[in-house]
Amino acid sequence: MAKIYTCFSTDIIHEGHLHIIEEARKYGDVYIGVLSDEATIKYNKFPTIPLEERVEMIRKIPGVKDVIVQDDVMYDKVVAELKPDYIIHGDNWKVPPLSALRDNAEKLLSAYGGKVIDVPYTYNENVRRVDKRVNEKLAMPEYRRKRLKQLLKLRPIVKAMEVHSGLTGLIVEKTVVEHEGEFDQFDAMWISSLCDSTAKGKPDIELVDMTSRFRTIDDVMDVTTKPVIFDGDTGGLTEHFVYLVRSLERMGVSAIIIEDKTGLKKNSLFGTEVEQTQDDIPHFCEKIAAGKRVQLTDEFMIIARIESLILERGMEDALERAHAFVKAGADGIMIHSRKKDPAEILEFCDKFRKDNKETPIVVVPTSFNSITEEELAKHGVNIVIYANQLTRSAFPAMEQTAKDILKYHRAKEVDDRLMPIKDIISLIDEL
Ligand code: SPV
Ligand code: MG
């Protein structure tokens, strides 16, 4: 009997999947792959049910010969082991980025005369409704909040990207790339104080109040499912911080990062060019501990950000603070630097990891941007935040368009570099 293989990365079996299986049966024994969590999160939505349940769900479908866990998006391993005669997939894999999967399958199968089979993808109201249900579930606070901790276990390094609106949220939510046979997407969203303030034309000095910051979170959460890391600046007065923790936790935010500064906060990238006051260790520890005391789930994370390198107080001070903040209850440490060279960040990570193997380390490589995620992970970094790149890419593009329309007294000259109206409309999901 010929072997036919397909791989599902789904939490619900709908008529589209059943149609593929029905077609597959015409060719031989049907083997179905279930994509592992690690592989799924690189190119699809985060799974809402555990792998074991997904395997069981598929095992129960009549006429399935065997279920295989596929732990890479590409088919190399499964083809080497199973040697299927056919791989079958919905014809949505004919277009990028999924076409990389089809190319991979075709290349592997052609080595021994196997073939790929495309079946028309099932687009209908029912399938759309099922997909939407899964999406809505992922967006709910009880599913979203815990996801950062889940990702920390699944990802060698969690990648967060700055968002400051529904639109930037959609970009981070939906952008998936395939590059040299690897799929990738962002894991989480960073609500930057700098970009949230900048989008409102205000300075990054804790001037944009929490009601407004919450509005941004809400705008983002309304159209996305990925977990949110909130830039909490100094966290404000301890007496206020506890309320902030409660509100964020209720909203489904996964983590707040607060920095050990006090008084009028200025953006860290100013460094010592402006006056900034670092908080003392006991006072900041008390703020962290107060936040931890009030939080209701063990999913929410309070991450302590250390400004010692920014303020040129030295490595020893940074390390002393890191250990003290962890002792006070911090669920993670963010170490910041505005040097181009990542050396001081790496030195901090190596020294911190000597005494602490567990506590997640967060970095924001805006200045030290030559370092790769892989190198950071090697030094024990768990979360990398791209803190402002969407804002900084949009601003010059918008400014240039404004200048050119003024210059040419019409919009024709700029049209080639604009997103077609049709594309911008299809970016937005309809209910
Ligand atoms: C932000 O994005 O607002 C940050 C990171 O706090 S930084 O701007 O580098 O201080
Ligand atoms: Mg900030």
Side-chain angles (χ1 to χ4, degrees), residues 150-285:
Q150 293 174 317
L151 282 160
L152 281 164
K153 291 203 184 104
L154 290 169
R155 276 291 219 182
I157 188 161
V158 171
K159 295 189 280 267
M161 170 55 106
E162 171 258 315
V163 299
H164 55 270
S165 60
L167 186 62
T168 47
L170 279 180
I171 290 172
V172 177
E173 177 76 16
K174 294 189 175 192
T175 306
V176 180
V177 295
E178 182 277 323
H179 181 62
E180 294 175 350
E182 280 279 333
F183 282 84
D184 217 354
Q185 62 176 322
F186 289 106
D187 303 298
M189 301 177 288
W190 164 244
I191 310 253
S192 151
S193 68
L194 173 68
C195 298
D196 203 359
S197 307
T198 304
K200 292 170 171 63
K202 299 269 170 66
D204 180 20
I205 52 171
E206 295 186 281
L207 171 68
V208 177
D209 67 17
M210 278 304 159
T211 311
S212 174
R213 305 282 320 273
F214 285 0
R215 185 69 244 161
T216 305
I217 296 176
D218 202 42
D219 285 346
V220 167
M221 283 189 158
D222 222 14
V223 296
T224 61
T225 66
K226 291 186 178 178
V228 168
I229 306 173
F230 182 70
D231 178 357
D233 292 316
T234 65
L237 296 172
T238 301
E239 292 83 346
H240 295 175
F241 179 59
V242 287
Y243 286 91
L244 177 59
V245 166
R246 270 286 169 84
S247 302
L248 293 172
E249 197 184 13
R250 175 176 48 74
M251 292 163 85
V253 169
S254 302
I256 182 171
I257 302 190
I258 50 168
E259 57 198 270
D260 59 353
K261 289 206 295 241
T262 187
L264 181 62
K265 187 220 85 144
K266 305 264 177 66
N267 186 273
S268 299
L269 301 174
F270 282 124
T272 50
E273 289 157 29
V274 294
E275 207 182 306
Q276 310 213 50
T277 316
Q278 201 170 16
D279 203 353
D280 62 58
I281 295 178
H283 183 255
F284 198 67
C285 283

